């Protein structure tokens, strides 16, 4: 589906009964003019069904020349199937410098893996220029892509359509959000969940994308306050903090990412010397 001019969303639904890590399915994007050249952003999960969905969509677009495959980050649900897609599309793969080594086993010709530079401007058909914005925090090799003309930001896993993201380094993540908040963003094309855009917003508010970024920043601040509140009550155990601050009906599959989010907040607060960490205690396993 063409979501804004020159941007085509290829949506991939979750498997039935799959874990609910990513409510709202996933997306890869073809960007550019199908009659000229296009970028492909991300290659999805390593699964026949996913790769087939992407290739079917590529057929529908008329098998355009692909300028390059742009990777948002190295997690397996963004780089799966890359060997097959790169072979068919015969194009370079561009990624964060930290990811180059990780992609080498999957791309036959090493020279086809190209290191992005921070803020590099990339051009393709339809007079499209995309800016690569380094945004560590979810992972240290994360890149967002910004199409200024249409004010659309491709956020990978930094901002999702239907849920908060998981974070590996919260201080970095907050800096990345701040960096993104300085752009003018009407539409967000996340790697997971629905596209965040004007059409989906009933109130006709401008800069729906900026509102989403702000919501993410506020959400983190709220979590931090909740964690400080739990600590003030004497709740110092990660699992107990999760039970205290997350909804009581939190799905089992989401408990682990929730705990890791709490941990990353605690690490940030420790780094900032706002809280103290006691050494862990060790006990014999009971099972
Ligand atoms: Zn992902």
């Amino acid at each position: 589906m063409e979501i804004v001019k020159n941007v085509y969303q290829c949506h991939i639904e979750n498997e039935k009964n799959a874990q609910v890590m990513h409510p709202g399915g996933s997306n890869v994007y073809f960007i550019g003019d199908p009659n000229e050249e296009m970028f492909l952003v991300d290659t999805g999960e390593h699964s026949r069904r996913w790769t087939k969905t992407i290739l079917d969509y590529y057929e529908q677009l008329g098998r355009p020349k692909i300028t390059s495959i742009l990777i948002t980050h190295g997690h397996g649900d963004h780089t799966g199937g890359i060997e097959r897609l790169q072979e068919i599309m015969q194009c370079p793969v561009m990624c964060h410098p930290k990811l180059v080594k990780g992609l080498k086993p999957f791309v036959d010709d090493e020279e086809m893996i190209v290191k992005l530079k921070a803020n590099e401007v990339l051009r393709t058909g339809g007079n499209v220029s995309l800016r690569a914005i380094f945004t560590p925090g979810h992972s240290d090799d994360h890149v967002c892509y910004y199409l200024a003309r249409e004010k659309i930001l491709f956020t990978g896993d930094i901002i999702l359509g239907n849920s908060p993201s998981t974070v590996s380094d919260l201080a970095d993540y907050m800096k990345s959000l701040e960096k993104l908040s300085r752009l003018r963003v009407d539409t967000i094309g996340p790697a997971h969940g629905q596209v965040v855009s004007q059409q989906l917003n009933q109130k006709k508010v401008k800069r729906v994308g900026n509102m989403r970024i702000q919501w993410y920043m506020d959400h983190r601040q709220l979590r931090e306050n909740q964690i400080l509140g739990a600590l003030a009550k004497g709740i110092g155990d990660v699992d107990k903090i999760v039970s205290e601050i997350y909804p009581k009906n939190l799905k089992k599959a989401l408990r682990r990412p929730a705990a890791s989010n709490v941990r990353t907040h605690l690490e940030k607060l420790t780094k900032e010397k706002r809280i103290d960490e006691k050494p862990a205690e060790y006990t014999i396993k009971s099972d």
Side-chain angles (χ1 to χ4, degrees), residues 178-218:
E178 232 178 273
K179 200 192 267 184
L180 297 179
S181 73
R182 291 196 288 270
L183 305 168
R184 293 189 52 154
V185 186
D186 284 344
T187 308
I188 285 179
H192 306 290
Q194 67 183 350
V195 169
V196 180
S197 70
Q198 189 71 63
Q199 293 92 315
L200 294 170
N201 188 295
Q202 302 298 313
K203 290 181 218 142
K204 298 247 176 236
V205 188
K206 274 211 159 161
R207 307 240 203 130
V208 179
N210 287 96
M211 286 172 57
R212 183 79 178 158
I213 297 166
Q214 190 58 47
W215 182 83
Y216 260 62
M217 293 168 84
D218 294 347

Side-chain angles (χ1 to χ4, degrees), residues 22 73 75 77-78 138 156-157 160 191-192:
H22 297 125
H73 64 295
H75 289 166
D77 54 336
H78 300 261
H138 170 75
D157 276 5
L160 307 182
H192 306 290

Side-chain angles (χ1 to χ4, degrees), residues 230-263:
L231 291 173
K233 279 197 214 166
I235 304 168
D237 175 85
V238 171
D239 283 329
K240 287 186 185 135
I241 295 175
V242 170
S243 305
E244 171 78 9
I245 67 175
Y246 280 83
K248 298 285 166 256
N249 59 354
L250 185 69
K251 292 199 175 84
K252 240 185 159 180
L254 293 178
R255 274 198 81 87
R256 259 183 57 183
S260 107
N261 268 334
V262 167
R263 236 172 259 121

Side-chain angles (χ1 to χ4, degrees), residues 31 63 70 73 75 81 109 123 152 156 158 182 187 190 213 233 254 265 272:
I31 306 167
R63 292 180 70 92
L70 307 176
H73 64 295
H75 289 166
D109 181 356
R123 290 176 212 287
I152 177 167
I158 283 274
R182 291 196 288 270
T187 308
I213 297 166
K233 279 197 214 166
L254 293 178
H265 273 282
E272 293 169 351

